[in-house]
Amino acid sequence: MMQFKMAPARWMVASAVAVSLMGSASALAQTEVKLGYALSETSHYGVAAAKWQEEVEANTDGRFVFRHFPNSGLGGEREVVEGVQIGTVEATIVSSGTLSNFVPEAGVADIPFLFRNLEHARNVMDGEVGQEILAKFDDVGLVALAWGEQGFRHITNNRGPIDEPGDMAGLKLRTMENPVHITAFETLGAAPTPMAWPEVIGALQQGTIDGQENPLSVITSANLAEVQRHLTLSGHVYSPAMLLVSRQLWDGMSEEDQQIFSDAAAEAVIAMRAFVDDVEQRGVDQLREAGMEVGELSDEQKAVFQEALASAYEQYYGQYGQDLIEQIIATE
Ligand code: PAF
């Protein structure tokens, strides 16, 4: 048998060509999924992102490779959703902050004191109302796979405790770029300052705003105790989140892969909700230990806030329709 001997230099060239051919074959077969989100990898978003990745990568034999951009690495939430819309970003996990700017109906979930507790909110978002809103994202070139969540939002600030609406008079409170929230805080007499999340910590440090509002999941993961003294457990509004992918990514997939992405998103939501359940249990103690002064609104105090919001509720009823709001309230 003839033995083929190759000179070392030629052998090296041949191997390099083989590796590069193998490399380009696998590069051709792999789709990168850039996944942007506002918080750290150890937050509820990070945990959901890791689960989404794990499930998709395992079930598609590595045909999709996730690349995480945590901590607003791709910009503020509005910018990232716009990136998903034009296809420069493949996927994101975002709050409802700017979503009603894309699909106005999404704003119904932002109405203050609408949801009784997490179970009620989850049943609404996983039920007919929530699923119909997800479907509307198709009309604006986005594929909304599932509702995740952050928990109920609470107020933090450096001015003082908040027990009644009057305590918020003129309070420079950063809000999300969300018209429903802005209306509510204006009605309560605060000075809402809509701002993209990446600017918030700096603005709190510099004192250009007095406070902000976010769920315990965010207050703990973003270490807000370092820049905020008072925490009022107001639970004034539920904070849903959404798992979105780009139309370009979606349309380029087989139906089987689309199903894998959807199932994986559902698993990611389970992981995110488990994180939220956990932080709802231990978050307040953690923030007290970190030096925050914590007050909690009683049901009677919350009723006073709701009364003060009467004119805002009229606007919401006009905008979203009484039937829809009553359907949400009637959900078990
Ligand atoms: O307050 C916000 O903008 C959002 O809750 C945040 C922190 C970006 C998480 O989505």
Side-chain angles (χ1 to χ4, degrees):
M1 209 168 87
M2 199 170 79
Q3 267 202 326
F4 181 71
K5 276 203 180 156
M6 204 188 269
R10 284 212 196 139
W11 181 86
M12 278 166 64
V13 172
S15 313
V17 170
V19 167
S20 123
L21 283 176
M22 277 162 54
S24 54
S26 67
L28 275 180
Q30 280 186 340
T31 302
E32 185 182 73
V33 179
K34 290 190 286 304
L35 172 58
Y37 46 96
L39 300 162
S40 70
E41 280 168 304
T42 53
S43 70
H44 50 304
Y45 284 2
V47 164
K51 188 70 186 168
W52 202 5
Q53 164 177 22
E54 181 192 314
E55 293 287 320
V56 169
E57 289 186 0
N59 292 311
T60 58
D61 303 320
R63 273 176 285 118
F64 294 89
V65 179
F66 277 59
R67 189 165 154 210
H68 292 236
F69 292 85
N71 298 313
S72 307
L74 296 175
E77 290 193 324
R78 179 199 278 264
E79 259 173 289
V80 176
V81 176
E82 283 166 358
V84 176
Q85 205 174 28
I86 58 173
T88 52
V89 178
E90 284 76 27
T92 186
I93 302 175
V94 281
S95 71
S96 66
T98 66
L99 290 181
S100 57
N101 299 303
F102 295 86
V103 170
E105 290 84 347
V108 74
D110 293 307
I111 295 179
F113 301 109
L114 177 64
F115 296 103
R116 294 183 290 279
N117 49 41
L118 286 177
E119 194 190 354
H120 177 215
R122 291 171 185 177
N123 288 344
V124 172
M125 303 321 271
D126 293 345
E128 196 186 320
V129 171
Q131 299 310 298
E132 278 178 8
I133 298 173
L134 288 184
K136 290 193 190 303
F137 280 79
D138 269 0
D139 304 341
V140 293
L142 290 161
V143 182
L145 292 184
W147 286 106
E149 77 182 5
Q150 311 208 75
F152 279 88
R153 299 178 84 90
H154 306 292
I155 301 167
T156 67
N157 82 97
N158 281 331
R159 204 174 73 173
I162 295 172
D163 296 315
E164 54 182 33
D167 295 329
M168 295 185 66
L171 187 76
K172 279 186 257 141
L173 188 78
R174 177 269 174 176
T175 66
M176 299 195 289
E177 297 161 279
N178 179 311
V180 173
H181 289 194
I182 296 168
T183 299
F185 287 112
E186 262 166 12
T187 309
L188 290 171
T193 311
M195 190 182 278
W197 175 250
E199 295 161 38
V200 175
I201 308 277
L204 288 170
Q205 272 164 342
Q206 286 157 21
T208 49
I209 48 173
D210 301 312
Q212 65 85 53
E213 46 80 64
N214 251 304
L216 292 172
S217 56
V218 177
I219 301 171
T220 53
S221 357
N223 298 323
L224 287 182
E226 288 175 9
V227 286
Q228 293 276 263
R229 203 164 48 247
H230 300 277
L231 165 63
T232 304
L233 297 169
S234 48
H236 53 278
V237 69
Y238 176 64
S239 198
M242 193 178 272
L243 283 76
L244 285 164
V245 298
S246 75
R247 165 74 39 214
Q248 287 84 338
L249 176 72
W250 191 252
D251 287 349
M253 281 186 214
S254 65
E255 275 183 26
E256 193 194 350
D257 285 345
Q258 289 177 346
Q259 192 59 49
I260 291 170
F261 262 77
S262 293
D263 293 346
E267 292 295 324
V269 168
I270 293 173
M272 194 181 327
R273 288 178 177 171
F275 186 108
V276 170
D277 284 335
D278 182 54
V279 81
E280 292 287 323
Q281 297 294 318
R282 58 173 180 80
V284 174
D285 287 344
Q286 189 182 322
L287 294 169
R288 275 204 180 98
E289 275 163 33
M292 289 190 100
E293 286 174 28
V294 184
E296 181 165 12
L297 295 186
S298 64
D299 287 347
E300 291 72 28
Q301 286 172 311
K302 285 185 187 176
V304 175
F305 276 82
Q306 278 176 278
E307 276 164 34
L309 284 168
S311 63
Y313 284 122
E314 262 174 46
Q315 277 190 45
Y316 303 144
Y317 274 95
Q319 190 173 351
Y320 297 105
Q322 187 141 352
D323 287 352
L324 176 59
I325 296 178
E326 277 169 10
Q327 184 183 351
I328 292 175
I329 294 169
T331 304
E332 290 297 315

